Amino acid sequence: MNTEHSELSKTIAYCGLICRLCFMADRCDGCKTDKNLCEKNCSDEGCFNRNCCESKGLKGCYECAEIYDCTEGIFSLGSMSKIKAFSICIREDGIDSFINSVIVNMKKGISVEKGKDYDGKSIDIVLKMLRNVV
């Protein structure tokens, strides 16, 4: 794994988002750090996905067998959750493959940023985008 891949893989959030590529990355070091400014984590109830993973001893939702049926927390968008698609991709293809897909797509101009290319698409379409099938 090259340095770029290694650095990005260290910032994968509990939910599957790559914190280093988040729109808040210049102010926030990610949800697994003390310098966590994620809007989900900073809410009164805290981040469902983080709390759930920590209670189950998981590194992320992608390690949970219940991910496919989960509609809690950041996955509340159901079949339209790009971040759930990210976690499913990590679960099925591995972190290295997921990071590589994101980087390849970024070089094609496809952005993971909020409100950009993966948003508003079904999990199936996002998975196809990540697997370079579309």
Side-chain angles (χ1 to χ4, degrees), residues 105 108 110 121 124-134:
N105 284 347
K108 294 178 187 175
I110 300 171
K121 294 177 177 61
D124 289 337
I125 294 296
V126 172
L127 287 171
K128 286 178 182 177
M129 290 172 72
L130 290 167
R131 292 171 176 153
N132 301 302
V133 177
V134 174

Side-chain angles (χ1 to χ4, degrees), residues 13-69:
Y14 290 100
C15 63
L17 179 72
I18 303 172
C19 294
R20 183 55 39 218
L21 299 178
C22 176
F23 70 99
M24 292 182 53
D26 60 332
R27 302 182 305 277
C28 176
D29 287 338
C31 70
K32 294 181 180 178
T33 70
D34 292 335
K35 190 179 171 192
N36 175 2
L37 300 175
C38 178
E39 58 194 36
K40 295 289 185 188
N41 193 60
C42 293
S43 69
D44 290 340
E45 29 324 307
C47 176
F48 172 86
N49 301 80
R50 177 184 182 157
N51 295 339
C52 183
C53 286
E54 286 180 346
S55 74
K56 292 179 178 181
L58 302 175
K59 292 179 188 173
C61 297
Y62 45 87
E63 290 186 340
C64 184
E66 298 171 34
I67 184 145
Y68 299 99
D69 297 321

